[in-house]
Amino acid sequence: MAQLHRRLHEKPGDGLPSLMARLSARIRRAEGLDAASRKRLLLELDSLPDGDRVCHGDFHPWNIHGSGQGFMIVDWLDACCGNPLADVCRTYVLLHHAMPDRAMGYVEAYASVTGAEVGGILAWLPPIAAARLTEGVANENDQLLRLAGLLP
């Protein structure tokens, strides 16, 4: 899965919507954030490096179809142009809820096949988790607020 994600991130994201703009807009409209938290999250987002690669935006095992003969990535509605590490962090957030025992292993596997730093991937965690609050997955909200550093 990490190798497939890496190959996806090798492609230029020309013409796709901006990941940074999408995250910013979602943080601005996320419910449950006070003004100070929203401002802090937007500042954190602004401090992270933008990118120009294809990001799937919803990359997880259920959006990968195929077998040893080949794989196909489906559900491209959230595709955008940005930093691959943000895309990997989004996968971490999705796995953290559905398969918590595998989430960090995925980040480490991606780091291993790309040379990326685990810390560089996890630096995206607060804004990525906060942006997910807009998706209306109510049973995840407390977990997302914790990942965003807003709850203990």
Side-chain angles (χ1 to χ4, degrees):
M1 186 170 143
Q3 288 281 10
L4 187 61
H5 213 178
R6 177 192 58 79
R7 285 197 307 271
L8 167 71
H9 291 148
E10 291 173 352
K11 309 288 185 226
D14 302 339
L16 292 171
S18 163
L19 174 61
M20 295 293 268
R22 178 178 292 161
L23 291 172
S24 178
R26 287 182 178 175
I27 291 168
R28 289 177 197 285
R29 72 174 195 268
E31 293 182 24
L33 297 180
D34 60 41
S37 296
R38 194 178 314 275
K39 182 176 180 178
R40 179 181 62 78
L41 288 161
L42 290 168
L43 286 171
E44 279 188 60
L45 177 62
D46 286 344
S47 75
L48 293 166
D50 201 353
D52 63 356
R53 303 283 95 193
V54 169
C55 294
H56 185 271
D58 199 24
F59 190 84
H60 55 71
W62 302 275
N63 279 340
I64 302 169
H65 295 224
S67 66
Q69 303 303 314
F71 297 94
M72 176 176 33
I73 303 167
V74 299
D75 189 7
W76 287 89
L77 294 174
D78 294 310
C80 52
C81 178
N83 188 317
L85 302 186
D87 202 34
V88 175
C89 188
R90 163 80 176 178
T91 299
Y92 170 82
V93 168
L94 298 172
L95 291 176
H96 191 270
H97 179 72
M99 306 167 74
D101 56 322
R102 301 219 174 140
M104 186 53 70
Y106 181 71
V107 169
E108 292 167 347
Y110 185 89
S112 176
V113 301
T114 62
E117 296 288 331
V118 169
I121 295 167
L122 296 180
W124 287 90
L125 194 51
I128 294 285
R132 182 152 168 83
L133 289 166
T134 65
E135 295 177 39
V137 187
N139 65 335
E140 284 186 35
N141 284 355
D142 285 349
Q143 184 180 60
L144 292 170
L145 289 168
R146 274 190 291 282
L147 291 173
L150 303 174
L151 285 180

